[in-house]
């Protein structure tokens, strides 16, 4: 097990009363059991109770930091690791945890400082040395990329492609676009081809990417759709490279068509190791049914996330770095939100860090870029609801958490009924919060092959727009583990 992987059993700090320490240790032992069982929410609960009894024990904070890391609450993980180091500057695992938190947030320079500290303290620790070297490589690469970007205006990858001269070899027996166009027959062949773990020819992949970029760049940032009384749309949440679960959605709910429209609400890629298959299938249907198959951007349709959580590595392994650069361009043109009948607003993350945002403000967002660290574009991709009123610091370390009062004011100002968002794993595949005004839908069952959650999708009918939830469970997939293409630092263990 990698350094820092195991929840610990003792620790420094001012000694509490013997009775308090005994109770705290019992709580920590219980939390450790929940952690081993991958119930990170309960692990956090019992670590928190132990901390309440012994608030100066660095290891309790360190353990809770690791539980937050596993639950993807990177902001909370960072705060706990920092607190552990304030209590005990010699607590080496605190540096690991803080570095892991910063890595997950794309703060590579901050992570590098902590890895450097660990290497100095433990010069013979091979795991620490590997992490330090890999993080150093990322920092240098990003500095190089920034230097190149500032040298000249960004040219499109499309300008350097000569798709027509790409040859499809005689031995390739897979699907091909018909006269350069996606057809329903092509899509059916493609899904079967992918199901058999075969690769689409690079010429076809490039054709899809170039064409879908042309379609997406003509769309507004806020897509507005009208459903007639007799019409229905299916809204899906995160799919995260779980290709065989995507096929199952189509099996259960029917293939996309003009009479069976879909909205996929971001996070198509990363984590699951069939992200290329997922995204090219979705892009194919977007080309086939541009007005009836909708794709919204998630926080994982961004360079930082793709570099860490697998999509960049997967595209490079299956195709080339040039193709990843084109995917990055295409992702920047994905719309950020969709409004149904002027009453239901759909976005990946959630609402805003400030009151007063209007639909016109969303319409005016310049989306063709990597998202900034704050502001409305960031919030649409990253924020989360919370049960308590008001706003609080995000558990993720990006954007904010917003309460039912924030949702209510936003809906009233914009004359909306409710919002649908995704972005969070839910045990049942969905959650209705804020008195029915904030709905979460998540469509990656047994997320990362370990969470045991159901997936779900939503039917919205034009007649009443009330959400109808349909749950499903994970289906078997080939023996390719999630995160197989993720950054080496994550493959080395959760620091």
């Amino acid at each position: 097990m990698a350094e820092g992987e195991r929840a610990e059993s003792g620790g420094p700090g001012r000694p509490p009363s013997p009775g308090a320490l005994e109770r705290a240790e019992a709580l920590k032992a219980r939390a450790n059991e929940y952690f081993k069982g991958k119930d990170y929410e309960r692990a956090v609960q019992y670590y928190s109770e132990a901390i309440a009894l012994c608030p100066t024990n660095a290891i309790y904070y360190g353990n809770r930091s690791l539980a937050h890391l596993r639950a993807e609450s990177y902001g909370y993980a960072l705060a706990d690791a920092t607190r552990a180091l304030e209590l005990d500057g010699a607590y080496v695992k605190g540096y690991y945890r803080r570095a892991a938190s910063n890595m997950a947030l794309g703060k590579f320079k901050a992570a590098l400082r902590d890895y450097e500290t660990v290497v100095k303290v433990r010069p013979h620790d091979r795991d620490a040395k590997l992490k330090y070297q890999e993080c150093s490589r990322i920092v240098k690469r990003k500095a190089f990329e920034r230097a190149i970007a500032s040298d000249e205006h960004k040219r499109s990858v499309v300008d350097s492609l000569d798709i027509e001269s790409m040859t499809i070899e005689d031995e390739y027996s897979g699907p091909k676009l018909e006269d350069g166009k996606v057809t329903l027959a092509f899509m059916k062949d493609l899904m079967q081809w992918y199901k058999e773990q075969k690769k689409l020819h690079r010429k076809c992949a490039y054709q899809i990417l170039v064409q879908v970029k042309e379609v997406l760049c003509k769309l507004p940032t806020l897509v507005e759709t009208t459903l007639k009384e007799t019409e229905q749309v299916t809204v899906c949440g995160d799919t995260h490279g779980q290709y065989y679960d995507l096929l199952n959605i189509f099996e259960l709910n029917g293939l996309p068509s003009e009479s069976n429209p879909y909205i996929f609400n971001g996070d198509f890629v990363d984590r699951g190791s069939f992200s290329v298959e997922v995204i090219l299938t979705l892009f194919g249907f977007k080309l086939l049914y541009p007005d009836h198959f909708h794709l919204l951007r998630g926080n994982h349709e961004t360079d930082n996330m793709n570099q860490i959580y697998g999509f960049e590595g997967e595209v490079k392994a299956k195709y080339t770095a040039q193709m990843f650069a084109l995917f990055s361009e295409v992702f920047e043109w994905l719309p950020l939100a969709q409004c149904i009948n002027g009453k239901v607003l759909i976005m990946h993350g959630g609402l805003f860090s400030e009151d007063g945002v209007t639909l016109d403000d969303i319409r005016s967002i310049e989306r063709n870029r990597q998202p900034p660290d704050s502001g409305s574009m960031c919030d649409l991709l990253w924020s989360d609801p919370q049960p308590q009123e008001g706003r609080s610091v995000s558990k993720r370390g990006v954007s904010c958490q917003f309460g039912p009062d924030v949702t209510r004011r936003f809906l009233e100002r914009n004359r909306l009924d409710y919002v649908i968002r995704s972005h969070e794993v839910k045990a049942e595949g969905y959650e209705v919060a804020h008195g029915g005004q904030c709905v979460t839908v998540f469509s990656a069952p047994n997320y990362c092959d370990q969470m045991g959650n159901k997936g779900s999708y939503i039917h919205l009918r034009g007649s009443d727009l009330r959400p109808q939830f349909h749950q499903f469970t994970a289906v078997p997939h080939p023996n390719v583990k999630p995160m197989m293409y993720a950054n080496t630092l994550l493959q080395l263990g959760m620091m």
Side-chain angles (χ1 to χ4, degrees), residues 16-82:
S17 69
L21 179 59
E22 187 177 344
R23 291 197 303 279
E25 283 294 301
L27 287 164
K28 186 198 66 189
R30 194 169 178 187
N32 288 353
E33 288 305 310
Y34 280 118
F35 181 90
K36 287 176 194 169
K38 299 179 180 177
D39 187 342
Y40 304 122
E41 191 175 333
R42 288 200 180 181
V44 165
Q45 177 190 329
Y46 286 107
Y47 287 137
S48 299
E49 290 181 23
I51 287 168
L53 289 169
C54 298
T56 57
N57 189 309
I59 286 173
Y60 294 174
Y61 284 98
N63 284 7
R64 190 171 71 176
S65 176
L66 186 57
H68 281 313
L69 273 168
R70 293 298 178 78
E72 301 182 17
S73 299
Y74 302 126
Y76 290 172
L78 181 62
D80 274 352
T82 300

Side-chain angles (χ1 to χ4, degrees), residues 8-213:
E8 297 176 85
S9 306
R14 288 199 304 271
S17 69
L21 179 59
E22 187 177 344
R23 291 197 303 279
E25 283 294 301
L27 287 164
K28 186 198 66 189
R30 194 169 178 187
N32 288 353
E33 288 305 310
Y34 280 118
F35 181 90
K36 287 176 194 169
K38 299 179 180 177
D39 187 342
Y40 304 122
E41 191 175 333
R42 288 200 180 181
V44 165
Q45 177 190 329
Y46 286 107
Y47 287 137
S48 299
E49 290 181 23
I51 287 168
L53 289 169
C54 298
T56 57
N57 189 309
I59 286 173
Y60 294 174
Y61 284 98
N63 284 7
R64 190 171 71 176
S65 176
L66 186 57
H68 281 313
L69 273 168
R70 293 298 178 78
E72 301 182 17
S73 299
Y74 302 126
Y76 290 172
L78 181 62
D80 274 352
T82 300
R83 180 61 181 145
L85 290 169
E86 288 169 355
L87 291 168
D88 181 5
Y91 179 48
V92 175
K93 290 185 180 181
Y95 292 101
Y96 269 105
R97 308 269 158 83
R98 190 164 69 181
S101 306
N102 277 315
M103 274 295 299
L105 292 166
K107 298 177 180 177
F108 303 108
K109 281 187 179 177
L112 185 61
R113 286 194 294 271
D114 282 336
Y115 287 135
E116 195 170 18
T117 300
V118 176
V119 168
K120 283 178 182 173
V121 173
R122 297 185 175 176
H124 303 297
D125 185 327
R126 181 174 173 273
D127 183 68
K129 196 172 290 185
L130 283 170
K131 290 184 171 74
Y132 171 75
Q133 289 169 348
E134 175 64 11
C135 193
S136 178
R137 187 185 66 77
I138 293 170
V139 169
K140 286 174 183 171
R141 186 184 75 179
K142 290 187 84 65
F144 177 69
E145 288 169 353
R146 279 195 302 274
I148 289 175
S150 62
D151 271 355
E152 57 175 307
H153 185 70
K154 189 177 173 185
R155 275 183 75 223
S156 171
V157 174
V158 177
D159 298 334
S160 61
L161 287 176
D162 185 3
I163 295 176
E164 289 309 309
S165 69
M166 293 180 188
T167 305
I168 297 182
E169 301 77 10
D170 291 341
E171 57 267 27
Y172 176 75
S173 60
K176 301 172 192 172
L177 279 71
E178 297 175 26
D179 297 321
K181 300 294 181 188
V182 169
T183 63
L184 181 57
F186 169 83
M187 289 307 302
K188 288 179 176 178
D189 289 346
L190 178 66
M191 289 186 288
Q192 183 59 37
W193 188 251
Y194 277 159
K195 192 175 182 180
E196 295 168 7
Q197 287 185 272
K198 296 174 181 176
K199 189 170 80 172
L200 180 66
H201 194 279
R202 70 187 183 104
K203 178 172 183 172
C204 303
Y206 273 123
Q207 286 174 313
I208 290 172
L209 287 170
V210 170
Q211 290 177 33
V212 86
K213 183 183 176 187

